[in-house]
């Protein structure tokens, strides 16, 4: 039986692959795949962003080697940043309760 952490890692890989296989390089997200991923998997985040250029900016910032594709490390940087923001928000909420 995989541990909870091992299942989380498997999930990260599975989600990336689900979107990265749609076109071009099957292990990297093109811009279209990135938009599909964000609008499906992180819809709660994207629907608050009324300016569509926010996702363009995110893609450019994440694409460190500027090849128009997001590899697994770029993807982890995105998830890490969002997870950090969620964690900070969780800490702020729990501190208010004390
Ligand atoms: Ca791809």
């Amino acid at each position: 039986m995989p541990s909870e952490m091992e299942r989380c890692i498997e999930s990260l890989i599975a989600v990336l692959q689900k979107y990265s296989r749609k076109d071009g390089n099957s292990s990297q997200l093109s811009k279209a795949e990135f938009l599909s991923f964000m609008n499906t998997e992180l819809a709660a985040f994207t629907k608050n962003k009324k300016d569509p250029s926010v996702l363009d900016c995110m893609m450019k910032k994440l694409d460190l080697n500027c090849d128009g594709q997001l590899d697994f490390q770029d993807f982890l940087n995105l998830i890490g940043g969002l997870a950090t923001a969620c964690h900070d928000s969780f800490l702020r909420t729990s501190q208010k309760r004390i």
Side-chain angles (χ1 to χ4, degrees):
M1 273 287 284
S3 69
E4 186 176 1
M5 192 70 249
E6 288 164 344
R7 283 201 306 275
C8 286
I9 293 170
E10 281 176 2
S11 293
L12 285 171
I13 294 170
V15 171
L16 176 74
Q17 287 186 341
K18 180 176 166 189
Y19 292 90
S20 65
R21 286 178 173 161
K22 292 182 178 180
D23 64 48
N25 186 317
S26 62
S27 64
Q28 297 184 330
L29 293 173
S30 64
K31 181 140 180 224
E33 290 167 334
F34 170 70
L35 295 178
S36 171
F37 162 75
M38 290 298 293
N39 289 322
T40 309
E41 302 291 337
L42 294 169
F45 174 81
T46 56
K47 79 174 179 217
N48 293 328
K49 310 283 180 233
K50 292 188 176 89
D51 182 356
S53 69
V54 168
L55 288 179
D56 286 357
C57 272
M58 283 179 74
M59 172 98 191
K60 283 190 186 118
K61 277 187 189 157
L62 292 164
D63 181 15
L64 293 180
N65 67 356
C66 302
D67 66 351
Q69 302 279 323
L70 300 182
D71 63 19
F72 191 59
Q73 182 62 59
D74 299 330
F75 179 72
L76 287 181
N77 290 342
L78 165 67
I79 304 304
L82 291 172
T84 301
C86 288
H87 183 240
D88 290 348
S89 167
F90 174 79
L91 288 180
R92 275 196 302 276
T93 308
S94 54
Q95 278 163 358
K96 275 184 201 153
R97 285 199 205 111
I98 296 168

